[in-house]
């Protein structure tokens, strides 16, 4: 079902395709430009990468389909995985060389939350791309607490304060209010929790030191794990009343007529980091050149996805709709990938940055992104004790590797494939974004001061508090 990266018959592995292209480029087009790269040949050429069937796996699919892996002398097989745990376990066991991962997965694994393993990332796969969907029944109840604009559309972003009275009513009837998310250390879990808490709903705490990893201590809404492709069917069956997931599974609910996406993660935290490409530290140490060549191919794929104001997105949607990748209908994937998002059926709005793969330095692995995830782990009890600010910085540096990214980017610049202006200024870049304030609760986040940020959050652990 899954094919290996194409090999040109006239260019056997013993004579790398990249060398042929570079020689032609140098001799015919730019004879004065040196294309020598500081990166050596890959130590390992045949690779297998895992992914989950979500549209934000796109950089892997595009690097494969456009021959960017081949250009780096890499022969790649892409393989869909059953769920995030299986994917992580296979990377740890060496069955996969690397994978499309939740941004929090390398951090959670390195911390020992769940399976303990040293996982690193040198490439951020995208910004935004998620949503929160509720069933039609819940939406009808929420609408009683919403207002409309002059055009008759509901004001956005929709706050979880409109869901709070619905949850309270269920609680009064003795009915648990169940919602789905994809993994305990997933962006989706933290975004759902952030949205709920901003609306006055407590999503519950974890207490691993006490043996409670349910995440439901003191919870108003009970969050549990559901694999992304199963979200719509699980909600349709009534097992959950809503969920937080990446595309195309929010739009699938609209197309199937079973639910309504009420908010996107772009509205919860504008241009939030979403997925990363993760490898085990042992693998990266054993195959450093291979790792750099992989990152180079992925950077090129990300740029292709965003270039010319998303001009390539329709082609990308066609590729992703194939069964070996996401396998959802073209129209479902296109609904968000091409710059729009549909909320209630017929309520289609322009969201050009719903999926960002390269703009805004999206591919750079910022320390401040890592630290935000760590603050959420602490906020909800997955990190069960106080940690000083320096600890957050140390952990971010252990897992997020902008040094590897910068080396790969510099090689692309030397190759003449990309320009220095495509990247951050590596001479001055600190790995910290400027203070960010575009959150749904209007709070600000500065990754240099994680404990100060935790203190500003109304619901959640801070200081020495425990669940």
């Amino acid at each position: 079902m899954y094919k290996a990266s194409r090999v040109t018959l006239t260019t056997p592995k013993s004579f790398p395709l990249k060398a042929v292209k570079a020689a032609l480029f140098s001799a015919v087009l730019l004879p004065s430009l040196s294309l020598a790269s500081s990166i050596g040949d890959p130590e390992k050429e045949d690779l297998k990468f895992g992914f989950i069937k979500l549209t934000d796996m796109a950089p892997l699919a595009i690097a494969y389909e456009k021959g960017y892996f081949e250009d780096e002398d890499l022969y790649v097989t892409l393989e869909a995985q059953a769920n995030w745990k299986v994917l992580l376990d296979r990377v740890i066991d060496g069955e996969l060389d690397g994978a499309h991962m939740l941004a929090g997965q390398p951090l959670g694994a390195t911390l020992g939350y769940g399976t303990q393993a040293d996982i690193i990332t040198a490439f951020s796969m995208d910004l935004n791309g998620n949503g929160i969907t509720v069933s039609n029944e819940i939406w009808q109840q929420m609408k009683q607490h919403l207002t409309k604009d002059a055009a008759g559309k509901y004001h956005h972003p929709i706050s979880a304060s409109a869901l709070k009275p619905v949850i309270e009513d269920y609680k009064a009837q003795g009915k648990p209010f169940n919602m789905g998310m994809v993994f305990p250390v997933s962006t989706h879990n933290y975004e759902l929790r952030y949205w709920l808490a901003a609306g006055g709903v407590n999503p519950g705490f974890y207490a691993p030191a006490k043996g409670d990893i349910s995440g439901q201590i003191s919870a108003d809404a009970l969050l549990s794990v559901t694999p992304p492709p199963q979200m719509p069917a699980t909600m349709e069956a009534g097992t959950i009343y809503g969920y937080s997931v990446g595309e195309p599974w929010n739009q699938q609910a609209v197309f199937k007529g079973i639910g309504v996406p009420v908010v996107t993660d772009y509205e919860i935290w504008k241009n939030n980091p979403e997925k990363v490409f993760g490898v085990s530290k042992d693998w990266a140490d054993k195959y450093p050149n291979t790792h750099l060549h992989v990152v180079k191919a992925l950077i090129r794929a990300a740029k292709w996805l965003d270039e010319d104001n998303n001009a390539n997105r329709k082609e990308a949607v066609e590729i992703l709709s194939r069964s070996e990748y996401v396998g959802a209908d073209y129209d479902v994937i296109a609904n968000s990938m091409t710059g729009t998002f549909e909320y209630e059926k017929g309520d289609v709005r322009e969201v050009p940055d719903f999926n960002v793969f390269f703009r805004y330095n999206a591919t750079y692995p910022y320390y401040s992104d890592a630290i935000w995830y760590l603050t959420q782990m602490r906020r909800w009890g997955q990190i069960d004790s106080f940690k000083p600010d320096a600890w957050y910085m140390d952990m971010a540096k252990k897992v997020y590797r902008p040094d590897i990214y910068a080396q790969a980017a510099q090689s692309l610049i030397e190759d003449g494939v990309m320009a220095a202006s495509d990247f951050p200024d590596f001479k001055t870049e600190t790995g910290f974004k400027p203070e960010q304030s575009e959150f749904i609760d209007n709070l600000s986040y500065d990754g240099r001061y994680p404990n100060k940020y935790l203190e500003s959050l109304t619901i959640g652990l801070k200081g020495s508090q425990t669940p």
Side-chain angles (χ1 to χ4, degrees):
M1 179 178 178
Y2 304 103
K3 51 186 180 178
S5 189
R6 298 178 302 277
V7 180
T8 305
L9 294 178
T10 55
T11 309
K13 287 187 181 182
S14 59
F15 191 31
L17 181 63
K18 181 178 68 174
V20 175
K21 292 184 177 181
L24 289 172
F25 185 66
S26 178
V28 179
L29 298 177
L30 290 172
S32 63
L33 179 64
S34 171
L35 296 181
S37 171
S38 58
I39 300 175
D41 292 336
E43 301 90 352
K44 183 179 184 183
E45 295 180 343
D46 296 297
L47 304 170
K48 182 185 289 186
F49 297 145
F51 68 93
I52 298 294
K53 292 197 169 197
L54 295 161
T55 56
D56 54 24
M57 64 77 60
L60 283 168
I62 298 306
Y64 176 87
E65 295 291 338
K66 293 297 174 182
Y68 299 147
F69 285 133
E70 280 184 357
D71 288 349
E72 300 298 328
D73 303 328
L74 304 173
Y75 303 87
V76 171
T77 299
L78 299 177
E79 185 177 292
Q81 306 298 301
N83 57 56
W84 293 112
K85 184 181 186 306
V86 168
L87 178 146
L88 178 62
D89 288 346
R90 295 191 74 201
V91 169
I92 293 169
D93 294 344
E95 296 176 52
L96 296 173
D97 293 285
H100 163 230
M101 287 188 181
L102 301 156
Q105 268 190 298
L107 293 160
T110 302
L111 284 169
Y113 190 82
T115 305
Q116 203 289 321
D118 287 329
I119 306 293
I120 66 169
T121 180
F123 180 82
S124 176
M125 293 189 72
D126 65 317
L127 305 178
N128 311 315
N130 296 334
I132 296 172
T133 293
V134 298
S135 69
N136 290 334
E137 179 185 358
I138 300 302
W139 173 239
Q140 290 302 318
Q141 296 174 63
M142 286 181 67
K143 288 198 293 188
Q144 303 172 35
H145 309 285
L146 300 174
T147 58
K148 293 183 177 181
D149 59 23
K153 292 185 176 182
Y154 290 103
H155 285 287
H156 277 255
I158 290 175
S159 167
S161 60
L163 181 61
K164 184 176 181 179
V166 180
I167 293 174
E168 289 173 343
D169 183 55
Y170 274 64
K171 186 182 290 187
Q173 297 176 49
K175 296 164 61 177
F177 195 89
N178 300 315
M179 300 189 77
M181 49 79 182
V182 307
F183 202 65
V185 295
S186 68
T187 318
H188 320 78
N189 185 23
Y190 302 130
E191 288 169 349
L192 179 54
R193 287 170 174 274
Y194 200 101
W195 181 68
L196 290 169
V201 177
N202 190 333
F205 299 99
Y206 297 85
K210 300 176 182 177
D212 191 332
I213 56 172
S214 69
Q216 298 180 356
I217 297 171
S218 303
D220 298 322
L222 305 180
L223 278 52
S224 59
V225 171
T226 302
Q230 297 175 25
M231 292 282 194
T234 304
M235 185 175 71
E236 188 174 18
T239 306
I240 54 177
Y241 298 119
Y243 54 75
S244 175
V245 75
E247 284 307 307
W249 308 115
N250 296 288
Q251 294 300 285
Q252 184 81 300
V254 179
F255 273 72
K256 292 184 62 153
I258 62 171
V260 176
V262 292
V263 68
T264 66
D265 59 344
Y266 181 82
E267 297 165 297
I268 296 170
W269 176 15
K270 182 178 178 181
N271 292 332
N272 64 89
E274 174 45 25
K275 300 295 192 308
V276 298
F277 181 76
V279 301
S280 73
K281 185 177 182 300
D282 286 345
W283 185 92
D285 290 343
K286 186 175 181 180
Y287 307 116
N289 292 341
T290 301
H291 192 196
L292 287 162
H293 284 286
V294 171
V295 173
K296 287 178 66 179
L298 291 174
I299 290 173
R300 291 182 65 193
K303 185 182 180 186
W304 183 90
L305 281 159
D306 278 10
E307 68 187 357
D308 297 330
N309 196 27
N310 294 352
N312 296 323
R313 290 296 181 88
K314 289 184 178 180
E315 182 181 351
V317 171
E318 187 280 320
I319 291 169
L320 293 173
S321 67
R322 300 173 192 169
S323 60
E324 63 263 37
Y325 296 125
V326 180
D329 290 345
Y330 177 97
D331 289 341
V332 174
I333 299 175
N335 229 29
S336 59
M337 270 284 279
T338 54
T340 62
F341 192 84
E342 188 167 13
Y343 295 90
E344 189 173 21
K345 188 68 175 176
D347 184 2
V348 180
R349 306 193 187 203
E350 295 292 323
V351 190
D353 284 342
F354 181 81
N355 284 116
V356 173
F357 295 97
F358 192 73
R359 294 188 295 278
Y360 319 130
N361 295 323
T363 55
Y364 187 83
Y366 283 96
Y367 295 138
S368 50
D369 291 347
I371 290 172
W372 187 84
Y373 284 102
L374 292 169
T375 65
Q376 301 310 293
M377 293 177 189
R378 172 62 189 138
R379 182 184 186 183
W380 304 116
Q382 291 171 330
I383 297 171
D384 56 15
S385 61
F386 171 81
K387 305 293 183 185
D389 286 354
W391 178 89
Y392 288 87
M393 183 71 250
D394 291 344
M395 186 56 63
K397 286 186 174 182
K398 186 175 183 181
V399 177
Y400 276 46
R401 297 294 301 274
D403 56 319
I404 296 173
Y405 178 95
Q407 190 177 352
Q410 187 59 46
S411 181
L412 287 168
I413 295 168
E414 292 173 7
D415 289 349
V417 173
M418 296 180 69
S421 59
D422 289 324
F423 301 103
D425 183 346
F426 297 123
K427 292 179 181 178
T428 60
E429 179 57 62
T430 64
F432 284 83
K433 294 177 180 176
E435 184 172 355
Q436 297 164 272
S437 59
E438 294 179 279
F439 289 83
I440 196 167
D441 55 7
N442 298 313
L443 294 178
S444 294
Y445 165 68
D446 187 332
R448 297 173 299 169
Y449 309 107
N451 282 296
K452 179 181 177 182
Y453 175 61
L454 284 166
E455 289 289 342
S456 73
L457 300 165
T458 304
I459 298 177
L461 303 178
K462 58 201 69 178
S464 60
Q465 291 178 344
T466 59

